[in-house]
Amino acid sequence: MAGRRDMGSWLDGPGGSRTPVDAGTEHPGARFGRPAQGAGSVASFGRRVVGLLVDWLLCVLIAQGLLSSVGRPDLMALVVLVTEHVLLVGTLGMTIGHRVAGIRVETLDGRPPGPARALVRALLLVLVVPPLFTDRDNRGLHDRAAGTLVVRAG
């Protein structure tokens, strides 16, 4: 029977916390000097999805409750999502959903991305497809374009 350590978390995504991407390769984020586990390690796909779902739900509620008279609630939810990302990711490095999922967005050298990088990242994020194509460091096209990395918060 496998011990508790071998189980990982459902937020860790495929492969759990058992680390290596493929046998004989480095862990995600190693080339950026990131640890394999814990604070500062590359966030799993599962954590990222949880963060995005929480953010999306909040943005839909805000759009329906406060902005339904301004325009279509579905489009207004996208506007709220982009605004949230530019303001919160650009300054704090995390949205409300990121906070719930225990992750944050950083530049490759560990700083908050700033509004310009957050805007590029958010605009590509709402296109849906860029986040689905990730590299060996779990960076989606939107993260590569913005020069960012999503890591586990401490």
Side-chain angles (χ1 to χ4, degrees):
M1 181 172 193
R4 174 90 171 119
R5 272 186 9 202
D6 295 333
M7 291 174 54
S9 166
W10 66 275
L11 290 173
D12 290 331
S17 61
R18 289 169 271 187
T19 23
V21 178
D22 294 314
T25 62
E26 295 180 326
H27 63 274
R31 65 185 174 139
F32 301 120
R34 299 300 180 141
Q37 298 176 3
S41 65
V42 173
S44 68
F45 185 75
R47 284 183 184 270
R48 294 172 69 133
V49 168
V50 168
L52 183 59
L53 289 175
V54 169
D55 284 335
W56 182 247
L57 178 63
L58 289 172
C59 291
V60 167
L61 291 173
I62 291 168
Q64 288 179 346
L66 301 176
L67 302 173
S68 59
S69 62
V70 177
R72 290 180 36 198
D74 54 344
L75 292 179
M76 295 312 326
L78 287 175
V79 170
V80 173
L81 185 71
V82 169
T83 303
E84 175 197 33
H85 273 75
V86 171
L87 294 177
L88 296 179
V89 170
T91 58
L92 303 174
M94 67 176 65
T95 63
I96 296 166
H98 291 152
R99 177 82 173 171
V100 168
I103 59 178
R104 69 177 180 267
V105 179
E106 298 179 345
T107 60
L108 298 179
D109 60 1
R111 294 178 292 127
R117 288 178 194 255
L119 177 62
V120 167
R121 192 176 180 281
L123 290 174
L124 290 171
L125 179 67
V126 299
L127 293 177
V128 179
V129 174
L132 297 177
F133 292 98
T134 59
D135 62 12
R136 68 181 182 199
D137 295 306
N138 293 343
R139 294 173 69 209
L141 293 175
H142 63 304
D143 283 318
R144 288 186 294 209
T148 58
L149 184 64
V150 180
V151 298
R152 292 184 63 181

